[in-house]
Amino acid sequence: MPLLTTGPASRREWLLATLVVLATGVVSTWPLATSPWLVPDHQDPLFSTWRLYTWARNLASLGAGGWFEGNQFHPAHYELLYSDAIALPALIGAPFIWAGVPVVLVYNGLVWLSILTAGLAMYACARAVSGSHGGALAAAVMFTGAPLRLDHVMHLELLCTAFMPLTVLATVRAMDGSRRAAWGVGASIAGQFVSCIYYGVFLLTVWPVLALGEWLRRRGQVERAVVARVVAGLGLAAVVAGLYALPYQRARAIVGDRPEGEVGVYSGSFDAYVLSPPTSVVWGWTSAAGKSERWLFPGLVGSAIAVSALTAPVAPWTAALAVTAVVAADASRGSEGLAYPLFRTLLPPYKGLRVPARFGMIVLTMVALLTAIGWRTMSGAFAGRPRAGVLAALVLLLMGVESGAAVPVRRMPSTPPPIYQFLATLPPGVIVHAPMPNPNRLPGFDADFVYFGQYHRHAMVNGNSGFYPPDYLRVAAASRDLAGDGAIEAMRQVGVQYLVVHDRYFDTEALRGAMIYRLEERRDLEPVGVYADEAGRGSARVYRLRPR
């Protein structure tokens, strides 16, 4: 394995790191790289595109219609705040949407930007911590392609992890005496918060454990001026987080707190750290013992190398990283752990979070850095041996193979289907797409309707988010009998003017035929026309609700 390196990385080393990260990204998201029109076959990419085009519209109008208003869940308000608003990714993507780039291409661009920046940030941090170019590459591969990350390939905000290693990097340099880096600690935490609220809250919570662990190892020998700047930087991060949280407090009156039972459903376990999602080519066979959000395996090869770091626990950062990983792993257990109930009691932001298992990404960050330190330890043992470089390359290759994935994908159309082109010609009004999903199996096909809503911009009763408002649930429940009086009355109560019935989404052809027949018989519905839906998904019928 390569010997230790000193000084800043050369251009050649940065180029190699970039190629390694991109290659790992391609392997761990395959086959997404084969077309910019492909997205994971899941509702979340469609929801993320809605957030992106909604932010672009609101920013272009300078918030004239409300900064956090969208065109789903009519007549609800603050729809962007029912889930993570992904403010920073949206700000980056907005100019491209304004320039006419299709939203799905902007979304995929942000996905690849997230992967690249996360890997390179980890490379920079791991190199600073370990002093090893090879170890930094190993940490970058692990951080980019770990099996636990495959479970979130469809969640844009959960891919935005670059600020985690950047926070550690700023902390490392600050403790080494850099006053500029001291400000970077707070800036990085703030950046993580506006990229992904979950990770921002979790990072801010465990950072003191990391910093205190290394401070104790150094016996408090850190410049007071540096400490003062770090504290000031953390204060600024808290201000950013507080300002960002203010509108969420307004929405809290609508969405409420996450119930304790829901937190339990999305809590992890120590066992989850040996389980991988089914999309993992190598480790997918372990998925049956877990479920989504509970597949937290960081990878075997990298973890094995990380263990070697613990042979020298007094080395810089080793103990601090290990203790932080243990605390984060316990917090990921949610109500079954020691830390999370305490966090939920003392820290208000935790009242609105429901997935403690996402602490697994903090664990991955720490373990990846321990992998770099372990690589440095092993480099000393292999120094001077023939073909050490070949062995190092083989280990990196094994880590890359371990990150292999087979992601189910969906190809999004490059032009809007005819039904949505027609809807765009209608005067502004309220639309409901049907059939609506069963309230017990959300979001159903509403994710499709929300995605294609970018082409007509009408207000929709349909929606897809982390929270579903009461009006939506009432209309969805009443619409189980779509052609019944109760369904039409529920639609009228929320101001629906157009009912769009999609053939493709009925459970059976017989049900579709019976429902269309009954709708055609209703005198309070005016048939407007039949239009082609997305390719291969049949047709859609448009009805206007006649005034009473």
Side-chain angles (χ1 to χ4, degrees):
M1 297 199 177
L3 298 175
L4 305 184
T5 54
T6 57
S10 66
R11 290 183 179 180
R12 181 178 178 182
E13 288 173 328
W14 274 114
L15 176 60
L16 178 59
T18 301
L19 294 175
V20 167
V21 168
L22 286 176
T24 305
V26 169
V27 170
S28 63
T29 61
W30 188 262
L32 291 179
T34 60
S35 171
W37 297 98
L38 292 179
V39 298
D41 191 10
H42 189 273
Q43 69 265 17
D44 257 86
L46 309 185
F47 174 53
S48 289
T49 59
W50 175 83
R51 288 182 288 183
L52 293 174
Y53 77 69
T54 298
W55 264 117
R57 181 193 64 184
N58 293 350
L59 289 169
S61 67
L62 298 179
W67 288 108
F68 304 101
E69 301 292 330
N71 67 332
Q72 67 170 343
F73 288 138
H74 178 85
H77 295 284
Y78 313 122
E79 298 97 313
L80 272 172
L81 302 177
Y82 294 172
S83 187
D84 196 319
I86 58 169
L88 183 57
L91 284 172
I92 296 171
F96 297 95
I97 296 174
W98 296 335
V101 179
V103 180
V104 69
L105 300 190
V106 175
Y107 165 83
N108 276 324
L110 289 169
V111 166
W112 285 104
L113 179 65
S114 299
I115 292 171
L116 179 61
T117 55
L120 292 180
M122 177 53 74
Y123 172 80
C125 182
R127 185 183 173 96
V129 168
S130 69
S132 169
H133 170 62
L137 288 177
V141 170
M142 187 176 189
F143 192 60
T144 306
L148 80 81
R149 191 184 280 273
L150 305 184
D151 189 29
H152 298 303
V153 69
M154 71 290 291
H155 298 126
L156 176 59
E157 64 270 32
L158 299 183
L159 296 176
C160 297
T161 55
F163 289 107
M164 289 188 182
L166 287 179
T167 299
V168 180
L169 176 60
T171 306
V172 170
R173 290 180 173 170
M175 287 201 171
D176 287 341
S178 171
R179 298 183 179 183
R180 180 181 299 177
W183 291 105
V185 174
S188 296
I189 292 176
Q192 187 61 73
F193 199 93
V194 296
S195 300
C196 174
I197 292 176
Y198 265 98
Y199 291 161
V201 171
F202 292 172
L203 182 61
L204 184 58
T205 303
V206 302
W207 179 86
V209 177
L210 176 72
L212 179 62
E214 180 63 12
W215 184 81
L216 290 174
R217 191 198 66 81
R218 298 182 183 215
R219 295 181 173 84
Q221 294 180 3
V222 180
E223 291 183 24
R224 290 185 178 181
V226 169
V227 174
R229 283 172 170 78
V230 169
V231 172
L234 291 174
L236 290 177
V239 169
V240 171
L243 291 174
Y244 195 52
L246 284 177
Y248 280 93
Q249 291 299 318
R250 194 183 312 162
R252 188 177 178 183
I254 302 173
V255 304
D257 294 334
R258 296 294 189 182
E260 190 69 37
E262 193 171 353
V263 171
V265 170
Y266 292 101
S267 293
S269 65
F270 289 138
D271 292 346
Y273 286 91
V274 296
L275 304 179
S276 300
T279 52
S280 172
V281 172
V282 176
W283 300 110
W285 57 272
T286 67
S287 64
K291 62 180 181 179
S292 185
E293 301 284 3
R294 292 184 175 182
W295 294 311
L296 303 178
F297 188 39
L300 179 61
V301 178
S303 297
I305 297 173
V307 170
S308 67
L310 303 180
T311 60
V314 296
W317 294 101
T318 300
L321 292 168
V323 171
T324 305
V326 171
V327 171
D330 176 72
S332 71
R333 299 170 63 215
S335 53
E336 297 299 317
L338 299 176
Y340 200 87
L342 183 64
F343 297 159
R344 188 170 167 85
T345 300
L346 299 179
L347 304 174
Y350 280 84
K351 299 288 187 181
L353 305 180
R354 65 173 176 171
V355 192
R358 291 178 181 173
F359 260 105
M361 190 58 69
I362 301 288
V363 176
L364 175 62
T365 303
M366 304 304 150
V367 173
L369 291 171
L370 287 171
T371 297
I373 296 174
W375 187 287
R376 178 190 64 193
T377 302
M378 296 176 69
S379 291
F382 283 87
R385 296 194 179 188
R387 298 183 180 178
V390 175
L391 176 60
L394 287 175
V395 172
L396 287 175
L397 180 61
L398 281 175
M399 295 180 71
V401 170
E402 195 176 22
S403 71
V407 179
V409 295
R410 173 179 177 182
R411 182 178 295 275
M412 304 309 296
S414 57
T415 57
I419 176 58
Y420 297 100
Q421 294 182 36
F422 168 73
L423 292 178
T425 67
L426 296 175
V430 180
I431 291 172
V432 63
H433 294 272
M436 293 188 73
N438 186 322
N440 296 320
R441 295 199 301 269
L442 299 173
F445 298 113
D446 271 8
D448 287 15
F449 306 144
V450 167
Y451 171 80
F452 288 113
Q454 65 181 288
Y455 295 117
H456 60 72
R457 303 296 176 89
H458 293 293
M460 295 177 287
V461 175
N462 309 82
N464 174 27
S465 191
F467 170 81
Y468 293 86
D471 282 333
Y472 171 88
L473 295 174
R474 187 175 65 253
V475 175
S479 296
R480 301 308 299 154
D481 179 18
L482 180 61
D485 292 340
I488 303 303
E489 180 58 28
M491 294 176 195
R492 288 189 184 278
Q493 289 177 1
V494 295
V496 170
Q497 295 162 276
Y498 292 95
L499 167 62
V500 184
V501 182
H502 298 258
D503 293 347
R504 166 68 176 77
Y505 301 118
F506 285 95
D507 291 337
T508 66
E509 181 63 22
L511 177 61
R512 183 200 68 81
M515 202 63 69
I516 295 298
Y517 176 80
R518 291 174 60 200
L519 288 170
E520 295 284 343
E521 291 294 304
R522 293 193 66 99
R523 294 187 177 183
D524 51 358
L525 294 179
E526 175 188 344
V528 176
V530 180
Y531 304 88
D533 210 327
E534 188 181 358
R537 299 201 172 201
S539 300
R541 290 168 167 77
V542 181
Y543 299 90
R544 187 175 70 88
L545 276 67
R546 289 192 173 102
R548 285 175 172 167

